[in-house]
Amino acid sequence: MNVLVTGGAGFIGSNLVRLLRRERPHWTVVNLDKLTYAGNAESLADLRDDKRHVFVRGDIADAELVASLLREHAIDAVFNLAAESHVDRSILGPGIFVETNVSGTQVMLDCARAEKVKRFVQISTDEVYGSLGATGRFTEASPLQPSSPYSASKAAADLLVLAYGHTYGMDVVVTRCSNNYGPYQFPEKLIPLMIANALEDKKLPVYGDGQQVRDWIHVEDHNRALLAALEEGRAGEVYNLGSDNEWPNLQIVGRLLEILGKGRDLIAHVQDRPGHDRRYAIDAAKAQRELGWSPRIAFADGLASTVDWYVKNRGWWERVRTGEYRTFYERNYGAR
Ligand code: NAD
Ligand code: TYD
């Protein structure tokens, strides 16, 4: 089996490539990544001498490149993870989100169809469903009501993928996962940002009252579900993925400070994110039932091991916090 992972130098993708090499050692994994600010070849350092991991730097919107990779490596299946992934960046500049997440996915679909790829797995997000009130959970039947340019671009991509299944009879599967955490996550997202800032004794910028709720899953549990979706999922289906683990942001930040032995005086409530979704919660019963999958990592353990990873891999996040990231940080937090 030969699989193409796009976005495999990012957070979830680099962990997925590693999981696939470990769990399916006879497969070849081709990894296509543009190495944007979020892509980091350093996250793949341990795979450098692995003959069954082929890294290619390039854009998913480059049809010629994608078609040649699918052909050259006789790709059987695609995991499409490449995306612009940060809500705050999508608020500052939505254009690239449409280019990569929507047009890029459409190019991937055209190429996969032309080259008769056997299965196309689209990695999506619970954010396509919009925001919940105090109760209830998203099911696959919940209406799509994305509220940020990021989630709108992901919803558009989902609909294209499902339409290609419907119209051309392509074998497609869409997964919609809740918020991930774990090693190699870019420190612009809540958990790694707060860990890195706390380790540097910088303020922890909590948006608004910090009572927004997210449903957290360890990246390893998400990636095991992606493998199960490829192997066990039904064509044309959507699978919600989550680990039944809801937390208000402020409580997570407090917990991280406790683990790191730092004081709560580092917390700074800053101006809220425009259009901020109040609550996400995922009902993953369908995935559990049909994919033979269930999450394994308890939040307390996952959070502790993630903090430990950031403590031990300070060089990794210190290097990515230079350059372009500083400019973004100033733009996003400077005016708050
Ligand atoms: P990330 O930002 O860490 O990584 C994205 C990767 O895609 C980077 O390596 C980047 O270089 C690459 N990329 C961006 N544009 C590209 C292009 N045009 N061509 C090729 N490569 C390109 O993101 P992540 O958190 O790892 O998310 C991966 C996927 O999972 C995304 O599709 C995201 O929408 C989805 N997802 C993420 C979460 C989460 O909590 N992080 C939850 C659910 C779904
Ligand atoms: P984030 O990690 O950006 O994921 P998403 O917005 O895709 O869920 O944010 C998670 C939550 O943390 C979200 O409610 C916004 C909040 N947040 C802060 O309060 N401060 C921050 O600096 C960041 C990045 C996020």
Side-chain angles (χ1 to χ4, degrees), residues 86 127 179 188 190 193 205 207 214 249 273 276 333:
H86 192 37
E127 301 192 27
N179 286 62
E188 65 186 354
L190 179 77
L193 173 72
Y207 294 162
R214 295 294 182 265
N249 294 334
R273 173 188 277 172
H276 199 169
Y333 295 96

Side-chain angles (χ1 to χ4, degrees), residues 6-13 32-40 58-61 80-85 100 123-126 150 154 176-180 184-186 188-189 222:
T6 72
F11 162 48
I12 300 173
L32 172 63
D33 196 294
K34 190 176 169 186
L35 295 183
T36 67
Y37 79 93
N40 188 349
D59 194 329
I60 57 164
N80 189 36
L81 289 90
E84 288 293 331
S85 68
T100 288
I123 286 61
S124 187
T125 163
D126 61 355
Y150 163 67
K154 293 296 290 184
R176 295 187 179 137
C177 192
S178 61
N179 286 62
N180 283 221
Y184 298 103
Q185 186 168 29
F186 195 85
E188 65 186 354
K189 305 283 166 56
H222 181 193

Side-chain angles (χ1 to χ4, degrees), residues 193-194 196-198 200-206 253 257 263-270 321 329 333:
L193 173 72
M194 298 301 170
N197 278 17
E200 290 186 333
D201 291 308
K202 289 187 178 144
K203 289 286 181 197
L204 311 191
V206 170
V253 172
L257 287 169
R264 289 184 75 90
D265 53 317
L266 283 180
I267 295 175
H269 286 270
V270 300
R321 260 153 85 95
Y329 203 88
Y333 295 96

Side-chain angles (χ1 to χ4, degrees), residues 59-62 66 80 98-109 120:
D59 194 329
I60 57 164
D62 180 346
V66 173
N80 189 36
V98 176
E99 281 170 37
T100 288
N101 301 3
V102 186
S103 301
T105 298
Q106 185 257 321
V107 167
M108 289 296 304
L109 285 164
F120 190 99

Side-chain angles (χ1 to χ4, degrees), residues 124-336:
S124 187
T125 163
D126 61 355
E127 301 192 27
V128 298
Y129 299 119
S131 187
L132 288 166
T135 58
R137 296 195 293 174
F138 299 127
T139 73
E140 290 80 0
S142 301
L144 299 184
Q145 289 178 328
S147 23
S148 71
Y150 163 67
S151 51
S153 71
K154 293 296 290 184
D158 284 16
L159 293 177
L160 276 171
V161 171
L162 294 170
Y164 271 62
H166 213 79
T167 307
Y168 305 117
M170 267 179 80
D171 184 317
V172 299
V173 173
V174 173
T175 60
R176 295 187 179 137
C177 192
S178 61
N179 286 62
N180 283 221
Y181 70 98
Y184 298 103
Q185 186 168 29
F186 195 85
E188 65 186 354
K189 305 283 166 56
L190 179 77
I191 289 180
L193 173 72
M194 298 301 170
I195 298 172
N197 278 17
L199 285 170
E200 290 186 333
D201 291 308
K202 289 187 178 144
K203 289 286 181 197
L204 311 191
V206 170
Y207 294 162
D209 63 4
Q211 294 309 319
Q212 304 84 3
V213 171
R214 295 294 182 265
D215 191 349
W216 294 93
I217 184 170
H218 194 277
V219 64
E220 205 68 13
D221 280 332
H222 181 193
N223 283 336
R224 282 194 306 101
L226 296 184
L227 177 56
L230 172 65
E231 294 184 326
E232 310 294 339
R234 283 187 295 133
E237 293 297 316
V238 174
Y239 293 96
N240 280 357
L241 304 172
S243 141
D244 210 357
N245 181 43
E246 292 179 51
W247 292 89
N249 294 334
L250 198 56
Q251 226 167 306
I252 296 210
V253 172
R255 182 75 201 108
L256 291 172
L257 287 169
E258 262 170 45
I259 298 176
L260 289 163
K262 302 274 181 177
R264 289 184 75 90
D265 53 317
L266 283 180
I267 295 175
H269 286 270
V270 300
Q271 194 180 51
D272 208 350
R273 173 188 277 172
H276 199 169
D277 285 336
R278 197 68 183 165
R279 175 170 167 260
Y280 302 143
I282 272 277
D283 179 342
K286 179 180 173 186
Q288 297 222 17
R289 204 170 51 240
E290 293 192 12
L291 304 181
W293 163 88
S294 56
R296 290 179 187 160
I297 302 178
F299 195 46
D301 299 338
L303 209 55
S305 64
T306 300
V307 169
D308 194 46
W309 189 87
Y310 281 88
V311 169
K312 289 192 175 124
N313 291 274
R314 200 166 175 134
W316 182 90
W317 56 264
E318 279 179 348
R319 279 187 286 283
V320 300
R321 260 153 85 95
T322 57
E324 188 276 347
Y325 181 70
R326 278 204 195 154
T327 315
F328 161 74
Y329 203 88
E330 273 308 306
R331 268 188 85 196
N332 192 53
Y333 295 96
R336 278 195 148 100

